[in-house]
Amino acid sequence: MIKMIMHGCNGHMGQVITELAVEDSDIEIVAGIDLVDNRENAYPVFTNIFDCDVKADVIIDFAAAAAVDNLLAYSRDKKVPVVLCSTGLSEEQLASIKETSKEVAVLKSANMSLGINTLLKLLKDAAKVFGTAGYDVEVVEQHHRLKLDAPSGTALALADSVNEALGNEYEYVYDRSGRRERRPDKEIGISAVRGGTIVGSHDVIFAGTDEVITFNHTAYSKSVFAKGAIEAGKFLAGKPAGMYDMADVIEAK
């Protein structure tokens, strides 16, 4: 059985993962880390990560970006692999993640959904067909009204997947309101919708002459991200030092 530490255990995603872990006979959450210990959990919770003396095979992180520095220091010190799900990381933190991966296994992904990460793989093949045939590419993402960043990291990852397959020759455009010109050939438009309680929806559109092909992923609950994080934790436990992503998890299935 794989033993996990849940970093950010009392947040929404931490609690979703906690519930899913109970139903998974292959894993056990043995400790939690959270600044606010205000919930009843079946495992000990530490408000300071450096006080955690529970041995584990992997850490799953769904905390705020501000907590990542201590998390990486703990991971290096204890030599425990870490699945990083926090967003909004600074350039300094991204550099620290890279350095940490030289000492311990680190998995970081813009989106933990198995569906999104399979879509990233499919888009590379599609882009080689449609992009080289002159189809225009657009990405439209939708999220709830409380989401702070726009466009989403997932939308950018989808655009990157297409762009990489096409030799990174395309420019990203986020606002066309100030332009009065025909659409350039090599650009990817990225649009963000914010409203209500939309969990997350992403469309990648290949628009050609008299034909439109749309790849869509819609998340109806945050459990899809939690399930992906658990699968990532199972994959990362016991892995040697290095940087990993969800593509590695999917490849191993």
Side-chain angles (χ1 to χ4, degrees), residues 154-224:
T154 300
L156 292 173
L158 293 169
D160 287 344
S161 185
V162 172
N163 205 4
E164 288 169 10
L166 298 173
N168 289 312
E169 296 181 352
Y170 284 57
E171 294 186 4
Y172 298 163
V173 176
Y174 308 101
D175 180 14
R176 295 190 175 101
S177 62
R179 293 165 47 178
R180 193 171 180 82
E181 60 184 20
R182 70 179 295 277
R183 188 189 199 280
D185 291 333
K186 292 189 175 182
E187 75 174 25
I188 298 176
I190 304 177
S191 304
V193 175
R194 294 289 176 270
T197 58
I198 301 170
V199 175
S201 178
H202 295 83
D203 288 298
V204 180
I205 302 165
F206 293 93
T209 302
D210 300 326
E211 184 175 44
V212 176
I213 299 91
T214 302
F215 290 81
N216 169 267
H217 177 275
T218 300
Y220 293 101
S221 79
K222 291 187 176 182
S223 66
V224 299

Side-chain angles (χ1 to χ4, degrees), residues 127-137 166 170 183 185 206-209:
K128 292 173 184 176
V129 175
F130 302 125
T132 56
Y135 286 60
D136 297 321
V137 186
L166 298 173
Y170 284 57
R183 188 189 199 280
D185 291 333
F206 293 93
T209 302

Side-chain angles (χ1 to χ4, degrees), residues 1-2 4 19-28 227 230-231 234:
M1 180 178 289
I2 297 172
M4 299 180 173
E19 292 176 7
L20 290 175
V22 174
E23 303 171 2
D24 194 324
S25 60
D26 295 328
I27 65 172
E28 178 188 5
K227 291 174 183 176
I230 289 173
E231 292 302 313
K234 292 179 182 179

Side-chain angles (χ1 to χ4, degrees), residues 33-244:
I33 311 295
D34 206 295
L35 286 175
V36 181
D37 184 11
N38 60 353
R39 297 181 185 270
E40 290 294 329
N41 293 295
Y43 47 80
V45 176
F46 301 87
T47 56
N48 185 332
I49 191 170
F50 298 110
D51 292 335
C52 180
D53 56 357
V54 181
K55 290 185 178 181
D57 301 305
V58 66
I59 304 168
I60 295 181
D61 159 63
F62 257 112
V68 167
D69 294 333
N70 285 343
L71 169 62
L72 294 175
Y74 180 89
S75 175
R76 290 193 300 269
D77 181 55
K78 303 294 185 181
K79 295 296 183 288
V80 182
V82 57
V83 176
L84 280 170
C85 305
S86 294
T87 58
L89 302 177
S90 67
E91 291 298 322
E92 291 78 10
Q93 287 176 317
L94 293 174
S96 180
I97 290 169
K98 188 175 181 180
E99 287 302 308
T100 299
S101 71
K102 296 177 181 178
E103 300 181 40
V104 66
V106 178
L107 188 149
K108 182 180 179 300
S109 177
N111 188 302
M112 300 309 296
S113 160
L114 292 173
I116 280 289
N117 284 279
T118 301
L119 179 56
L120 289 170
K121 186 177 180 180
L122 295 173
L123 283 174
K124 288 183 180 294
D125 293 333
K128 292 173 184 176
V129 175
F130 302 125
T132 56
Y135 286 60
D136 297 321
V137 186
E138 295 284 315
V139 178
V140 180
E141 58 100 340
Q142 304 177 54
H143 283 90
H144 53 85
R145 68 191 309 274
L146 300 179
K147 186 172 178 60
L148 300 180
D149 56 321
S152 67
T154 300
L156 292 173
L158 293 169
D160 287 344
S161 185
V162 172
N163 205 4
E164 288 169 10
L166 298 173
N168 289 312
E169 296 181 352
Y170 284 57
E171 294 186 4
Y172 298 163
V173 176
Y174 308 101
D175 180 14
R176 295 190 175 101
S177 62
R179 293 165 47 178
R180 193 171 180 82
E181 60 184 20
R182 70 179 295 277
R183 188 189 199 280
D185 291 333
K186 292 189 175 182
E187 75 174 25
I188 298 176
I190 304 177
S191 304
V193 175
R194 294 289 176 270
T197 58
I198 301 170
V199 175
S201 178
H202 295 83
D203 288 298
V204 180
I205 302 165
F206 293 93
T209 302
D210 300 326
E211 184 175 44
V212 176
I213 299 91
T214 302
F215 290 81
N216 169 267
H217 177 275
T218 300
Y220 293 101
S221 79
K222 291 187 176 182
S223 66
V224 299
F225 311 118
K227 291 174 183 176
I230 289 173
E231 292 302 313
K234 292 179 182 179
F235 165 83
L236 201 63
K239 288 290 186 295
M243 280 297 302
Y244 301 84

